[in-house]
Amino acid sequence: MASELEKLNKSLRRRRIKRIFRFMFICLVIAVVVSVLTRVFLRVDTILVENLSRYESSQLLLECDGLRGEPILQFDRQLESENIETKLPYVKEINFSVKFPDNLHIVAIPAVPAYSVCLGETYVCLDSDYKVLEENIAPFQGVLKVDGLVFESYEVGKNVDFSENIEASVLDDLISVLSEYGLDKNLTKIDFSKKYNLTFVLNDIIQVEFGTSEDFDKKTELLVEILKRNPSDKRAVINVRKSDEGRYRALD
């Protein structure tokens, strides 16, 4: 009796396994057929652009022209986005969406200038993600000025590589710490010229001597306490090069 039950169970298991494999095979065939059909019949014909960037829509359409005729669901969106964002640096992000059967909708999100960095005789404009937007022989206006920074390498249209540009990572650390204390919006200039005495200016009137890149948090806490105890609308120098000792010196 037991052997008969075992044979029955084995038979049922084999049937279940066969049904599972049959179902998987059918799904695979369907997936292949759908893939082939979409590649053959669903291709990009019309490109619609929602352009929020500083570039002309015609320029964006020109960069996207190579997508015409591509399978609308299967082209490499990440690669295409990176190509456009590199060729048109003031585009921060490209988003794709499909409007069946053959319309591709593209939204261009603008990159916003954040820093004007002086690199010797050249100035580069960066956004808040440290993407190089442009370079020029004159400083960029309306953004935070950064002097004395050294870049080992950079490329217009791409983000600065922190692993190759250590001082850029120090700038990022400084901005991050100051933003935690709400001071980032008061920054008007940062100076890396003296490597052992990083300085920055608040509201164009208060110069802060920050020293090296050590103990940013403690130095910022000390800076905040000094700012609370002293006028913030008069020219002054604040020295917090030592995280446990700060000095305020009025200039007026």
Side-chain angles (χ1 to χ4, degrees), residues 136-187:
N136 206 329
I137 59 173
F140 297 89
Q141 303 301 313
V143 293
L144 177 62
K145 297 177 178 63
V146 183
D147 290 343
L149 208 61
V150 174
F151 282 178
E152 296 299 328
S153 63
Y154 69 90
E155 184 177 346
V156 176
K158 294 188 177 181
N159 288 28
V160 173
D161 187 343
F162 286 174
S163 66
E164 295 181 1
N165 302 282
I166 304 302
E167 291 189 1
S169 66
V170 175
L171 171 63
D172 184 55
D173 290 341
L174 175 65
I175 297 295
S176 297
V177 171
L178 293 179
S179 66
E180 291 178 9
Y181 291 85
L183 295 175
D184 57 313
K185 295 179 178 60
N186 304 101
L187 281 170

Side-chain angles (χ1 to χ4, degrees), residues 103-216:
N103 288 359
L104 185 64
H105 186 207
I106 297 174
V107 179
I109 307 298
V112 180
Y115 311 114
S116 174
V117 179
C118 178
L119 302 175
E121 297 181 354
T122 303
Y123 292 85
V124 295
C125 184
L126 309 177
D127 72 358
S128 58
D129 293 323
Y130 303 94
K131 180 184 181 182
V132 182
L133 306 180
E134 188 180 351
E135 57 183 356
N136 206 329
I137 59 173
F140 297 89
Q141 303 301 313
V143 293
L144 177 62
K145 297 177 178 63
V146 183
D147 290 343
L149 208 61
V150 174
F151 282 178
E152 296 299 328
S153 63
Y154 69 90
E155 184 177 346
V156 176
K158 294 188 177 181
N159 288 28
V160 173
D161 187 343
F162 286 174
S163 66
E164 295 181 1
N165 302 282
I166 304 302
E167 291 189 1
S169 66
V170 175
L171 171 63
D172 184 55
D173 290 341
L174 175 65
I175 297 295
S176 297
V177 171
L178 293 179
S179 66
E180 291 178 9
Y181 291 85
L183 295 175
D184 57 313
K185 295 179 178 60
N186 304 101
L187 281 170
T188 50
K189 183 179 179 180
I190 301 176
D191 193 344
F192 281 82
S193 300
K194 297 177 181 179
K195 301 308 176 185
Y196 294 97
N197 187 19
L198 165 63
T199 64
F200 55 86
V201 178
L202 299 175
N203 299 322
D204 283 323
I205 56 174
I206 298 178
Q207 178 175 308
V208 180
E209 297 183 356
F210 224 54
T212 66
S213 59
E214 297 178 351
D215 299 323
F216 271 1

Side-chain angles (χ1 to χ4, degrees), residues 59-123:
Q59 195 170 356
L60 279 165
L61 283 170
L62 182 63
E63 295 297 334
C64 299
D65 198 57
L67 291 173
R68 297 182 193 279
E70 289 293 312
I72 201 166
L73 296 177
Q74 297 175 333
F75 68 91
D76 192 330
R77 298 190 180 200
Q78 182 175 352
L79 178 62
E80 293 297 334
S81 295
E82 290 176 354
N83 287 339
I84 297 171
E85 291 160 15
T86 300
K87 292 179 180 178
L88 304 177
Y90 278 93
V91 173
K92 180 181 183 66
E93 185 179 348
I94 288 288
N95 294 323
F96 296 101
S97 61
V98 174
K99 295 184 180 298
F100 288 108
D102 55 13
N103 288 359
L104 185 64
H105 186 207
I106 297 174
V107 179
I109 307 298
V112 180
Y115 311 114
S116 174
V117 179
C118 178
L119 302 175
E121 297 181 354
T122 303
Y123 292 85

